[in-house]
């Protein structure tokens, strides 16, 4: 893996089993990556803890669900690290409950015997820009969405999300820039709705949209274009091809990313 990881999970466990768990969480096929470099890696540590690191911005938020699930199976805390935002966010998980920590993620990983990949590792431009995420959900109102997320045991505490009913649909955002798996959860629990999960840098030169229905990603729009995605690539969103026009047609202010 030669790209700068955007997220990580530090956890006890057997590396081979952890790889299977991550593949399931990211909805990847067990039998392969079609010759492409995988978007995550399990890095064995020197003790009980190992590091799971991922490079695909489309997977940001996966670290929360992975850490939450693993924390239900071990006695020690499991840590999730979001490196897509600035400052990096570090969260500790015990028995499925989270606590936000104010610690240096590299120092934490090193103390657990599973240091994260070095800053010196060659990186692409994705790794240098904070990425924020927002979603548009068509066919559901804020009150119902909040109830669905609560019933699903969503890991974020009450008040984390900003749920806004707009003429385009329900807009989901967060002051932290991270909505985790909220878009996927709503798509799974409300299979009749259409969901657009947008991940972008402040200048919109890194811009991704996942189109979800029934819990499945049915389309992935990427600028710059990517050849390592495991889901169907699309060249437009609602007939639009530029980030500004896509945000307009989805009713998402571009300033939400630029002011992040």
């Amino acid at each position: 893996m030669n790209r700068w990881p955007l997220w990580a999970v530090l956890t006890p466990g057997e590396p081979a089993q952890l790889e299977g768990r991550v593949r399931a969480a990211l909805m990847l096929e067990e039998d392969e990556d079609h010759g492409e470099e995988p978007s995550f890696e399990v890095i064995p540590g020197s003790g009980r803890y190992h590091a799971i690191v991922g490079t695909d911005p489309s997977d940001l938020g996966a670290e929360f669900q992975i850490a939450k699930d693993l924390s239900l199976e071990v006695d020690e805390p499991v840590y999730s690290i979001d490196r897509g935002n600035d400052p990096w966010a570090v969260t500790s998980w015990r028995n499925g409950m989270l606590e936000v920590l104010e610690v240096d993620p590299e120092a934490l990983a090193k103390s657990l015997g599973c240091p994260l990949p070095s800053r010196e590792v060659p990186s692409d431009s994705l790794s240098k820009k904070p990425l924020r995420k927002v979603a548009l959900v068509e066919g559901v109102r804020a009150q119902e969405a909040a109830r669905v997320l609560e019933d699903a045991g969503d890991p974020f505490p009450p008040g984390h999300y900003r749920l806004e009913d707009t003429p385009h649909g329900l807009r989901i955002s967060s002051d932290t820039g991270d909505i985790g798996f909220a878009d996927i959860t709503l798509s799974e629990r409300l299979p009749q709705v259409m969901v657009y999960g947008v991940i972008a840098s402040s200048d919109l030169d890194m811009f991704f949209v996942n189109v979800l229905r029934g819990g499945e990603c049915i389309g992935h729009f990427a600028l710059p274009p990517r050849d390592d995605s495991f889901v169907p690539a699309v060249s437009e969103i609602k007939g639009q091809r530029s980030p500004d026009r896509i945000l307009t047609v989805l009713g998402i202010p571009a300033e939400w990313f630029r002011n992040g």
Side-chain angles (χ1 to χ4, degrees):
M1 178 177 292
N2 58 13
R3 287 186 289 165
W4 178 238
L6 293 174
W7 59 266
V9 173
L10 311 177
T11 179
E14 293 297 326
Q17 294 180 357
L18 292 175
E19 180 173 350
R21 297 294 299 275
V22 177
R23 283 187 173 278
L26 299 181
M27 296 179 287
L28 300 179
E29 294 294 335
E30 285 287 346
D31 55 349
E32 237 2 77
D33 304 303
H34 307 293
E36 302 289 348
E37 183 180 4
S39 62
F40 77 93
E41 182 179 3
V42 178
I43 304 175
S46 59
R48 281 187 52 75
Y49 277 84
H50 311 291
I52 305 167
V53 298
T55 59
D56 192 335
S58 301
D59 295 335
L60 278 172
E63 71 278 3
F64 287 98
Q65 193 63 50
I66 293 169
K68 178 184 178 181
D69 291 346
L70 292 173
S71 74
L72 298 171
E73 302 172 9
V74 297
D75 295 329
E76 301 95 327
V78 176
Y79 303 94
S80 60
I81 299 171
D82 174 5
R83 302 168 93 178
N85 289 297
D86 186 14
W88 297 346
V90 182
T91 308
S92 172
W93 296 82
R94 284 182 180 269
N95 298 317
M97 302 298 292
L98 67 81
E99 177 185 0
V100 177
L101 304 180
E102 294 186 3
V103 299
D104 178 74
E106 291 179 323
L108 172 64
K110 187 175 181 180
S111 73
L112 296 172
C114 52
L116 299 172
S118 167
R119 288 177 183 273
E120 289 6 272
V121 172
S123 61
D124 63 12
S125 55
L126 285 177
S127 62
K128 303 175 183 178
K129 299 173 181 290
L131 300 172
R132 294 170 66 86
K133 182 177 181 180
V134 65
L136 178 80
V137 186
E138 297 176 336
V140 66
R141 306 285 291 178
Q143 185 175 7
E144 182 182 1
R147 184 173 63 253
V148 169
L149 291 172
E150 182 178 358
D151 291 345
D154 186 83
F156 284 118
H160 176 87
Y161 299 114
R162 183 184 300 164
L163 304 177
E164 302 172 272
D165 291 318
T166 78
H168 299 268
L170 171 66
R171 187 166 61 227
I172 306 176
S173 60
S174 167
D175 291 337
T176 68
D178 187 2
I179 64 169
F181 269 175
D183 51 341
I184 297 176
T185 298
L186 290 174
S187 177
E188 290 175 340
R189 298 295 181 107
L190 302 170
Q192 77 279 9
V193 307
M194 187 72 80
V195 181
Y196 300 87
V198 181
I199 302 171
S201 60
S202 59
D203 54 12
L204 304 183
D205 63 342
M206 298 296 167
F207 189 84
F208 310 92
V209 183
N210 287 323
V211 185
L212 306 169
R213 194 178 188 96
E216 299 290 333
C217 186
I218 60 174
H220 178 67
F221 177 93
L223 286 178
R226 305 185 61 187
D227 59 6
D228 60 349
S229 177
F230 299 99
V231 296
V234 296
S235 61
E236 62 182 42
I237 299 294
K238 290 183 175 287
Q240 304 299 328
R241 298 174 181 268
S242 72
D244 281 300
R245 289 183 176 274
I246 289 172
L247 292 177
T248 297
V249 79
L250 294 178
I252 299 173
E255 290 73 20
W256 190 90
F257 296 96
R258 291 169 176 156
N259 296 338

